[in-house]
Amino acid sequence: MKKRPHILSIAGFDPSGGAGLVADCKTFEALKCQGLSVCTANTIQTDTEFIECIWIDVEIIKKQIKTLFSRFQIDVVKIGIIENWRTMSEIINVLISLNAEIKIIVDPVLSASTNFDFHSETQIDFDSKIFDDVLSKIYVLTPNYDEIQQLYPTKNIVETIAHVSSKTNLFLKGGHNESEKGKDYLYTKLGEKYPINPKHQTVYPKHGSGCVLSSAITAYLSLGFPLLKSCFRAKRFTEKYLGSNKELLGNFRF
């Protein structure tokens, strides 16, 4: 039996299991990878309601990461919700110190599917220098259409895409793009642009679908697939997940 690669998800805990750590590890398992997890936030929510987000101290996060790396070989990491970009930068620097060749996939979750703003109460000022430094150290950024428009307040979406893809690979999820619904784009650091069209017609909204797509990309990269093929396969996997039932919480057996 082929040994499963270990993948680390650094993200929030969703008690409903539809998003965050639980959804990531379900995805990893479905794609024959071994999921590990470090919690960045404890949330009080269901698939339809978000009540509260309690952030985990960054020193605890870093200690958990170091402990896992002392036991397991981890070459690919997915990062979900983090309290702010400064904390994100600290976490990424720890990861690189533990594995200089690590591939980091960042899903910049700015709000929940129930429209809860994760950062409305922290009032963290946006620091483009810190964010640019984060981008230069990661392998892929996976925002959706709404999120990318919030990343750089002074830039329009075309300028933001160009800026981000000059520093890292960008997978732009198109589920929120009304003009091209469900059409994703991969912008590589080398200046290439690849459209990834939807295939499955019967899909239903799912709580945490963005987490599933980003973690599927992470899993395929961990299994040794190149970036474009990982994105393409992750898109098809997520479409099957979206079509698995009519509920907000999907099935991973299809």
Side-chain angles (χ1 to χ4, degrees):
M1 182 181 294
K2 186 177 180 180
K3 186 177 180 180
R4 296 187 174 203
H6 292 93
I7 310 176
L8 175 60
S9 170
I10 304 173
F13 172 67
D14 169 11
S16 78
L21 294 174
V22 180
D24 289 350
C25 287
K26 286 179 181 177
T27 303
F28 298 156
E29 179 70 21
L31 295 175
K32 295 180 170 50
C33 298
Q34 188 68 43
L36 309 172
S37 61
V38 167
C39 186
T40 60
N42 200 354
T43 70
I44 301 171
Q45 65 173 306
T46 68
D47 55 332
T48 60
E49 181 182 23
F50 199 110
I51 299 172
E52 190 175 357
C53 177
I54 302 97
W55 298 106
I56 305 300
D57 184 85
V58 67
E59 294 305 319
I60 294 175
I61 294 171
K62 290 192 286 188
K63 187 175 292 187
Q64 288 179 324
I65 291 170
K66 291 175 182 177
T67 300
L68 289 173
F69 271 78
S70 69
R71 173 70 177 88
F72 303 103
Q73 177 63 40
I74 304 169
D75 297 316
V76 186
V77 173
K78 180 207 165 178
I79 303 178
I81 60 166
I82 300 290
E83 186 171 5
N84 55 63
W85 294 116
R86 191 176 299 277
T87 299
M88 175 80 79
S89 181
E90 284 188 52
I91 291 170
I92 287 173
N93 287 338
V94 169
L95 292 170
I96 293 173
S97 73
L98 295 167
N99 182 347
E101 302 301 318
I102 198 162
K103 288 182 177 178
I104 302 170
I105 292 78
V106 171
D107 187 25
V109 183
L110 304 181
S111 62
S113 56
T114 53
N115 295 320
F116 179 90
D117 185 344
F118 288 110
H119 305 290
S120 61
E121 296 179 0
T122 61
Q123 297 297 316
I124 298 298
D125 292 331
F126 178 77
D127 189 325
S128 60
K129 290 184 179 179
I130 292 176
F131 186 48
D132 283 350
D133 183 61
V134 165
L135 292 178
S136 69
K137 294 175 180 177
I138 67 175
Y139 187 62
V140 189
L141 187 77
T142 66
N144 62 38
Y145 199 76
D146 289 341
E147 290 164 342
I148 196 168
Q149 297 179 81
Q150 300 177 51
L151 294 178
Y152 287 91
T154 62
K155 300 181 187 295
N156 62 37
I157 188 168
V158 174
E159 293 169 335
T160 299
I161 289 171
H163 183 77
V164 171
S165 60
S166 72
K167 298 181 178 299
T168 190
N169 299 302
L170 169 65
F171 183 86
L172 181 56
K173 296 177 284 192
H176 293 77
N177 185 356
E178 294 300 329
S179 63
E180 293 184 295
K181 196 73 171 178
K183 186 174 183 179
D184 304 334
Y185 285 94
L186 173 64
Y187 299 86
T188 73
K189 194 176 177 180
L190 298 175
E192 301 156 323
K193 176 183 177 181
Y194 298 100
I196 303 179
N197 293 302
K199 179 180 179 182
H200 295 270
Q201 299 300 317
T202 306
V203 297
Y204 306 96
K206 291 284 181 288
H207 170 58
S209 57
C211 297
V212 171
L213 179 52
S214 298
S215 56
I217 293 173
T218 307
Y220 282 118
L221 287 170
S222 186
L223 290 167
F225 291 96
L227 177 59
L228 179 58
K229 186 166 285 189
S230 293
C231 292
F232 179 83
R233 284 176 171 254
K235 173 72 169 178
R236 297 294 173 253
F237 175 86
T238 306
E239 286 179 325
K240 291 178 181 177
Y241 173 73
L242 291 171
S244 64
N245 62 31
K246 296 181 179 181
E247 308 299 322
L248 283 174
L249 297 177
N251 297 326
F252 285 87
R253 292 182 179 274
F254 34 69

